[in-house]
Amino acid sequence: MATPSPALIDAMRSIDAALKAGEFLAAHDQLAALVEEQPGFVEALRLYAGTKQALGDIDGAERILRKAFDFDPNWAPTLAALGELLLSRGNVAEAEPLLRRAAQRLPRAALVLARHYNDTQRAGDAFTLLAPSSAGGKADADLIVQYVAAAAALGRLAEVVASLGQLSQAKPDDLGIAQSYAITLDAANRPADSEHIATQTIARGHRNAVLYQIQARSLVAVGEFDRAETALRECLRLDPLRSEAHDHLARLVWMRTGDAAQATSALDDALRTFAADPALRAAKAAILQGAGDARGAYACLVEQAGHPQASPALLVRAGLAALDFDPALSLPFAERAVRAMPANTAARSLLVAALLGIGDAQAALPHCETLRTAAPDDQYFIALQTMAWRLLDNPRHREYCDYARWVLPQRLEAPAPWPDLANFFADLERSLDRLHNPHGHPLLFQSLRHGTETTADLSRSDDPAIRALFAAFDAPIRRYLEHIRNGPEPLRRRDNGSYRYNGSWSVRLRSSGFHTNHVHPRGWISSACYIELPDVAADAHQNAGCLTFGRPSLITTPALQAEHVVRPEVGMLVLFPSYFWHGTVPFASERTRLTVAFDVVPER
């Protein structure tokens, strides 16, 4: 290979500086001149395509990358860049072989491919791809995240936790292994342990964006919000394009301020430099929609989503925003996304919701079947299917959604050593009070309004009263498992006589508080346990503070109303299928409404 000339070296240094500063137009123009002079310089062509992509010219980027590929079909950076671009455009058949070839030499290609596998429910492929480099804990942090996600989906997370724990003990000075162990503990929902190891590893000089993000997630889970915000800002200082960290920071700022402008401030700063980055723009739109501004979210995306070369992910995000106020506006985005990526469940579920929104439930049904075939246990997909049946007056809706039969209220028994529920709940309220921020705002993307929600998994709490509560849940859960043995297919099929908790939390609603209607996609059996209730009148027509079932959060034509109501009582535990749409009716009272809820899934 010829030695590059001093002029070429200077040109590449100038281009590199412009790229690092986010000056994509300047870099683009310099690269255009360079490839005009040296049309066979494949690395310059790759960078040139990158600037076109950053400036929104996706077609131009693909054309240049194909040109680079023609010059050298074995240059791994070109394979990776072209594969990633084609994947973003929905050309999976051509993208995957390119990425598999590049993944043998480039961690970035392995990351893109593994993320694609995990996102499309191909955890086995992701695990096989990453295990050789990740099992020893030495891989790049982002690769470890995907490896751990695949292990969790395959039911092998405990195995990976044990293996990396042993490695960490055997090699305590290996900071790469320590980082991998912290990531794995975070995925295993052990935030205190994950935070301890992440903080120690950072203090010993091992600093990168992923580790700061893991530290922040764990700190949020244990309620240390100031430190979590500091960690997220350091994460974004190291990687300002990290959309997931932007999302976490925005959620945290929102929880503490309730102000959408403050929540999206860091995203706005990044977008001033990286204006065309679709992931950042989609992250901002998601935050705005979570804060209740669906029209603002749509306005944030509509121009980019209108481009013929818009990525399917951007189309889905724009469609989700439109779905909140005009399903007909959402439908074209959904149709384009499904055409680009037929196997993408997010795109297809958006299409179903849009079809239900415009009143075409018959057209939605085949897509519901496709979704359930791909992910039979996703409770949201079951909920979409039952909505379509209900709109079509199909008897299968009543089979799946017999609320009177499958919504089961039960009375809790006071656990030892408490003499009765009143004494037990007095201690339990004090324990839960310590976990609720009295000045906090509802978490983004959660169903509650005018209240607060705890962030840690209560089923893992060391507090004696909270531990006793979850012990008291065991008998009612087991009674419910017996109850559903002849239940509808989504309940019956998964029943193996065992269960484990899959998330648990507490909600305190203030006056005017309520839960919007929702389902629990990753659940199986869901719940509501009433610890304290407001003093509302028992008005059968108003149902203030009641738990309702059957009214979806999605717009439908015609509109669907609630079909079943449960009037809560202190000490009541209500269990029901996770695919049931449920919410609560607002109430007016000086007293708050304190509940504990959880999801359970079958023990593997």
Side-chain angles (χ1 to χ4, degrees):
M1 182 179 291
T3 303
S5 68
L8 178 58
I9 293 172
D10 288 343
M12 292 301 290
R13 283 175 177 165
S14 176
I15 290 165
D16 183 61
L19 290 172
K20 288 179 178 177
E23 297 171 357
F24 297 114
L25 184 57
H28 173 277
D29 292 345
Q30 292 180 66
L31 284 161
L34 182 57
V35 299
E36 180 72 23
E37 294 175 6
Q38 301 193 43
F41 187 2
V42 291
E43 181 59 7
L45 286 169
R46 184 184 72 86
L47 295 173
Y48 187 32
T51 62
K52 285 190 173 295
Q53 189 171 353
L55 294 169
D57 184 3
I58 310 300
D59 287 336
E62 182 178 338
R63 186 173 60 255
I64 297 299
L65 284 171
R66 289 189 182 280
K67 185 177 180 180
F69 178 79
D70 289 340
F71 275 115
D72 186 349
N74 296 311
W75 179 238
T78 301
L79 296 175
L82 180 56
E84 185 171 359
L85 180 64
L86 292 172
L87 195 64
S88 74
R89 306 196 75 177
N91 189 347
V92 176
E94 192 176 1
E96 282 191 11
L98 293 171
L99 288 167
R100 278 195 292 269
R101 288 174 58 197
Q104 299 172 22
R105 286 171 280 173
L106 290 179
R108 171 67 190 179
L111 174 63
V112 170
L113 187 56
R115 187 178 286 137
H116 163 65
Y117 285 152
N118 279 328
D119 288 347
T120 53
Q121 290 81 49
R122 293 166 62 184
D125 289 335
F127 192 85
T128 300
L129 174 71
L130 297 180
S133 62
S134 302
K138 294 286 195 175
D140 173 84
D142 280 313
L143 287 175
I144 293 291
V145 169
Q146 294 302 317
Y147 172 64
V148 168
L154 295 170
R156 300 182 64 176
L157 186 56
E159 167 192 330
V160 174
V161 170
S163 174
L164 286 171
Q166 292 170 357
L167 280 171
S168 184
Q169 287 185 341
K171 300 180 179 181
D173 294 327
D174 192 317
L175 300 184
I177 291 174
Q179 171 180 265
S180 298
Y181 192 35
I183 292 168
T184 309
L185 290 169
D186 173 70
N189 207 6
R190 290 170 55 182
D193 295 333
S194 175
E195 184 275 325
H196 176 70
I197 293 172
T199 300
Q200 278 192 334
T201 307
I202 289 169
R204 294 167 68 186
H206 193 85
R207 300 182 178 95
N208 59 57
V210 176
L211 192 55
Y212 276 112
Q213 184 175 316
I214 292 297
Q215 181 194 34
R217 280 169 47 90
S218 300
L219 287 166
V220 168
V222 299
E224 294 199 35
F225 302 134
D226 287 335
R227 289 181 61 206
E229 184 172 338
T230 298
L232 283 170
R233 293 194 185 280
E234 183 59 22
C235 168
L236 291 170
R237 185 189 68 80
L238 294 171
D239 185 359
L241 286 170
R242 196 169 191 82
S243 58
E244 186 180 4
H246 277 292
D247 177 75
H248 290 326
L249 179 60
R251 291 173 188 241
L252 182 57
V253 173
W254 169 267
M255 183 177 67
R256 306 176 82 189
T257 67
D259 186 301
Q262 290 188 57
T264 57
S265 175
L267 271 164
D268 288 337
D269 288 343
L271 282 166
R272 275 189 279 274
T273 302
F274 307 103
D277 187 273
L280 291 181
R281 196 160 289 278
K284 180 178 179 180
I287 298 302
L288 291 174
Q289 187 168 4
D293 185 9
R295 292 180 185 275
Y298 180 74
C300 181
L301 297 174
V302 63
E303 182 180 351
Q304 281 192 328
H307 293 165
Q309 66 269 27
S311 71
L314 195 68
L315 294 172
V316 169
R317 188 68 257 171
L320 287 171
L323 194 65
D324 270 4
F325 61 90
D326 187 350
L329 199 59
S330 176
L331 184 60
F333 293 119
E335 290 172 334
R336 288 172 58 198
V338 170
R339 280 197 299 271
M341 294 189 72
N344 186 276
T345 56
R348 195 170 295 276
S349 65
L350 172 65
L351 178 58
V352 170
L355 289 168
L356 298 178
I358 65 169
D360 196 351
Q362 192 65 53
L365 271 180
H367 298 293
C368 292
E369 294 290 347
T370 300
L371 289 169
R372 290 213 56 208
T373 299
D377 297 330
D378 190 304
Q379 304 295 293
Y380 179 64
F381 298 161
I382 301 170
L384 290 175
Q385 187 177 49
T386 60
M387 287 169 63
W389 287 336
R390 182 178 170 187
L391 288 166
L392 294 167
D393 201 24
N394 186 312
R396 295 192 72 185
H397 171 259
R398 179 51 55 194
E399 175 192 347
Y400 275 52
C401 298
D402 187 345
Y403 300 108
R405 188 172 183 185
W406 306 121
V407 176
L408 186 62
Q410 301 181 66
R411 178 80 178 173
L412 282 183
E413 298 291 334
W418 286 272
D420 51 44
L421 273 182
N423 281 280
F424 173 51
F425 277 7
D427 287 347
L428 181 61
E429 283 185 44
R430 283 190 286 270
S431 296
L432 294 173
D433 282 344
R434 289 192 288 269
L435 302 177
H436 281 277
N437 178 357
H439 308 295
H441 296 265
L443 303 181
L444 281 172
F445 311 109
Q446 299 298 320
S447 62
L448 73 152
R449 301 292 184 268
H450 305 291
T452 57
E453 182 173 323
T454 56
T455 55
D457 185 344
L458 297 183
S459 69
R460 298 174 179 271
S461 173
D462 292 327
D463 180 276
I466 296 175
R467 288 179 66 86
L469 177 68
F470 279 83
F473 288 153
D474 181 69
I477 292 171
R478 294 195 180 280
R479 284 194 292 270
Y480 193 76
L481 293 182
E482 293 178 7
H483 183 66
I484 64 172
R485 290 211 172 124
N486 295 315
E489 173 266 331
L491 287 175
R492 183 182 67 247
R493 176 175 48 78
R494 299 176 71 186
D495 179 24
N496 61 13
S498 69
Y499 74 92
R500 64 179 174 86
Y501 291 108
N502 191 38
S504 53
W505 56 94
S506 173
V507 169
R508 186 185 290 284
L509 294 177
R510 302 185 294 273
S511 187
S512 301
F514 64 100
H515 282 275
T516 60
N517 296 291
H518 62 287
V519 300
H520 295 202
R522 299 291 171 259
W524 176 46
I525 298 166
S526 295
S527 66
C529 179
Y530 300 95
I531 313 301
E532 178 189 26
L533 290 172
D535 49 353
V536 295
D539 186 331
H541 297 290
Q542 296 298 323
N543 291 325
C546 287
L547 175 62
T548 65
F549 291 90
R551 181 175 181 174
S553 64
L554 301 173
I555 297 171
T556 60
T557 301
L560 298 175
Q561 302 302 322
E563 296 186 297
H564 187 72
V565 177
V566 173
R567 190 169 298 280
E569 299 173 6
V570 171
M572 176 189 288
L573 171 66
V574 185
L575 296 173
F576 52 90
S578 297
Y579 63 83
F580 277 8
W581 288 102
H582 59 285
T584 61
V585 181
F587 64 90
S589 173
E590 292 184 1
R591 292 182 59 184
T592 59
R593 185 181 191 274
L594 181 65
T595 58
V596 169
F598 56 81
D599 289 336
V600 299
V601 294
E603 184 69 80
R604 292 189 181 93

